[in-house]
């Protein structure tokens, strides 16, 4: 939509705060009042759009290519720490806790609030007014739910390794927006 040529104009027009250790690629779409926390990675082609209210993204999140985070509400969309938003994920709810995964083409809609340690499976969609409790997994077709029993320790360890790798490799091959 805006491309690399106009990215500086977009960043200067809106209030964007990038923490010092965050990595944000220049060819992303970022609109509105947005805070990006320490260690968070925003890949090439991701979109973060604060239409009505601000978006506050915690630390150590991974927002993959073509993932979209959008706030259509008048209240802040707060996203916790250590979340993974995979390719083509769409997040438009009212809040996301810590250590969640929204898998490929997963969708969080409406005024949905996602707790901690949850998984929205590939191509799964939340109900618009859902409150997803902690440790819930949405999966399958037709869509079903279950409660996690694993304590999420494997995800936490893998997420840390993934972040370390991205922080090392992404700046080598992409233009990064400088933190304020």
């Amino acid at each position: 939509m805006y491309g690399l040529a106009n990215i500086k104009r977009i960043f200067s027009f809106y209030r964007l705060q990038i923490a010092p250790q965050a990595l944000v690629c220049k060819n992303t779409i970022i609109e509105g009042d947005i805070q990006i926390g320490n260690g968070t990675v925003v890949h090439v082609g991701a979109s973060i759009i604060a239409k009505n209210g601000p978006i506050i993204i915690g630390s150590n999140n991974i927002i993959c290519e073509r993932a979209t985070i959008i706030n259509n509400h008048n209240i802040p969309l707060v996203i916790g720490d250590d979340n993974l938003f995979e390719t083509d994920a769409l997040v438009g709810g009212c809040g996301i806790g810590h250590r969640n995964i929204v898998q490929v083409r997963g969708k969080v809609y409406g005024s949905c609030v996602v707790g901690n340690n949850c998984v929205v499976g590939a191509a799964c969609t939340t109900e618009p007014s859902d409150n997803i409790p902690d440790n819930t997994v949405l999966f399958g077709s037709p869509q079903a739910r279950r409660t996690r029993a694993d304590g999420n320790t494997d995800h936490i360890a893998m997420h840390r390794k993934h972040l370390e790798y991205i922080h090392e490799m992404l700046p080598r091959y992409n233009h990064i927006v400088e933190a304020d």
Side-chain angles (χ1 to χ4, degrees), residues 3-56:
L4 188 57
N6 295 321
I7 202 77
K8 291 222 183 270
R9 180 181 59 81
I10 293 167
F11 285 148
S12 63
F13 182 72
Y14 297 108
R15 192 175 85 118
L16 173 64
Q17 294 177 315
I18 302 173
Q21 299 298 314
L23 290 178
V24 178
C25 291
K26 282 192 177 178
N27 46 347
T28 60
I29 296 171
I30 296 182
E31 298 177 11
D33 188 4
I34 298 166
Q35 262 182 278
I36 299 174
N38 234 6
T40 291
V41 174
V42 182
H43 277 272
V44 173
S47 300
I48 305 172
I49 303 167
K51 281 191 173 181
N52 294 325
I55 298 174
I56 301 165

Side-chain angles (χ1 to χ4, degrees), residues 133-148:
D134 292 352
N135 301 309
T136 299
V137 178
L138 304 176
F139 66 97
S141 179
Q143 190 166 301
R145 291 181 183 210
R146 71 174 177 81
T147 301
R148 289 181 86 133

Side-chain angles (χ1 to χ4, degrees), residues 3 39-40 51 73 114-115 119-120 126 148 150 153 172 179:
T40 291
K51 281 191 173 181
H73 305 284
V114 178
V119 176
V120 177
T126 64
R148 289 181 86 133
D150 64 357
T153 54
R172 291 183 186 182

Side-chain angles (χ1 to χ4, degrees), residues 100-137:
N100 296 295
I101 302 171
V102 180
Q103 292 182 342
V104 175
R105 295 179 11 178
K107 293 174 178 52
V108 178
Y109 277 132
S111 59
C112 179
V113 176
V114 178
N116 300 316
N117 301 315
C118 297
V119 176
V120 177
C124 289
T125 303
T126 64
E127 295 297 323
S129 59
D130 233 352
N131 283 332
I132 310 294
D134 292 352
N135 301 309
T136 299
V137 178

